[in-house]
Amino acid sequence: MIRILSGIQPSGALHLGNYFGMMRPAIELQERGEAFYFIADYHALTSVRDPAALRAHSRQIAVDFLSCGLDPARTCLFRQSDVPEVAELAWILSTVTPMGLLERCHSFKDKTAHGISPTHGLFAYPVLMAADILLYDSDLVPVGRDQKQHLEVTRDIAVKMNETYGTLFKLPEPHIREEVATVKGLDGQKMSKSYHNTIDLFLPEKVLRKTIMGIVTDSTPVEAPKDPGQSTIVDLYRLFASPGEIADMEARFRAGGTGYGDFKKQLFERILDYFRLMQARRDHLLAHPEEVDVVLRAGAEKARSVAASVLDRVRAGVGLR
Ligand code: ADP
Ligand code: TRP
């Protein structure tokens, strides 16, 4: 049975990019193997310095993941810091990781350019991510395209370990769904917390409507034909609608006579509808926090037992035991 693993940082509210790029593919994959999904709270410490916020975001990720269809009976959901073994593995991996490999990573440069402090933790982030993946002998890692380089670094580190110490690790494969690899934000750039252009999951109806109405459009008049290939509205609608509905919206763009506001309303209705059931599940979980605690406790226990046996193998392999 293949092992599938992914993580998401509790650094803020989840958005449609996170959902389509990572969460939904991860949830679909839980049918195909043994899945381990975790809340990357050690990673989030590189950007969140407010303990109450970190706790709240961690909780929110657990609730949102469960609301969106993660099945705790089949999938292990856990908090990264409940398995501190990962920090030990990260240290061991760091001793074979060439500095140059980390210096080439885009995410350090992107994040510092967006105002996150250039700490050692941020620089070494890919090593901790490699430890996350290798600690569970993962085969497949569902992520959005922006994480591809981190998966390459993980493989490079695993190869380096295997060359140095004999085969200790298998090489994980990224699982990137091309059709949703980069979900666009309100301004047409990649949707990202750091760009303040997100459409967050589970917004109250009024706020969602206002957010969708804020999608940036050009000044083409209502009567004029519009190019569906250049529209963020159509791009987002594609994520939710059937092929027939998409073709219909595209035809109405080309025909002219409909303003962007009407298309936005249609998109808004679709999003609301899509998340309706999940919203109900979320309301239930928010009213029953103890159910979430039970899931996280069981997840931690299961993850820890896998981690302990892999770490024993690694300690023995490198001569610590
Ligand atoms: P953000 O850019 O908002 O900080 P993260 O870096 O925390 O988001 O991403 C968490 C997961 O969601 C990763 O697997 C990432 O690839 C995916 N993801 C984030 N934004 C997008 C997007 N706009 N399109 C597709 N996937 C995305
Ligand atoms: N770096 C990922 C992100 O920012 C989160 C993450 C941490 C992760 N460890 C992981 C994803 C291991 C997949 C596998 O989105």
Side-chain angles (χ1 to χ4, degrees), residues 237-250 270 274:
Y237 191 67
R238 279 197 189 97
L239 298 168
F240 294 93
S242 67
E245 290 168 323
I246 298 166
D248 180 61
M249 184 182 274
E250 287 175 344
R270 218 57 181 81
Y274 184 92

Side-chain angles (χ1 to χ4, degrees), residues 6-9 11 15-23 111 142-147 180-185 190-194 198:
S6 194
I8 190 155
Q9 290 193 68
S11 48
H15 53 69
L16 292 182
N18 300 139
Y19 178 74
F20 286 103
M22 184 274 193
M23 296 168 74
K111 287 181 177 177
V143 281
R145 187 186 287 145
D146 59 350
Q147 295 298 314
V180 291
T182 308
V183 174
K184 283 189 192 168
K190 178 198 159 204
M191 186 178 291
S192 170
K193 280 186 285 280
S194 350
T198 61

Side-chain angles (χ1 to χ4, degrees), residues 113-164:
H114 281 95
I116 299 182
S117 22
T119 58
H120 173 260
L122 191 67
F123 184 69
Y125 181 111
V127 184
L128 181 58
M129 180 155 164
D132 291 324
I133 296 169
L134 300 176
L135 187 58
Y136 299 95
D137 284 333
S138 313
D139 298 293
L140 208 58
V141 183
V143 281
R145 187 186 287 145
D146 59 350
Q147 295 298 314
K148 191 167 181 221
Q149 190 182 37
H150 288 154
L151 263 295
E152 286 159 6
V153 169
T154 301
R155 288 170 62 96
D156 285 349
I157 294 176
V159 166
K160 198 90 184 158
M161 285 293 287
N162 291 348
E163 281 170 2
T164 312

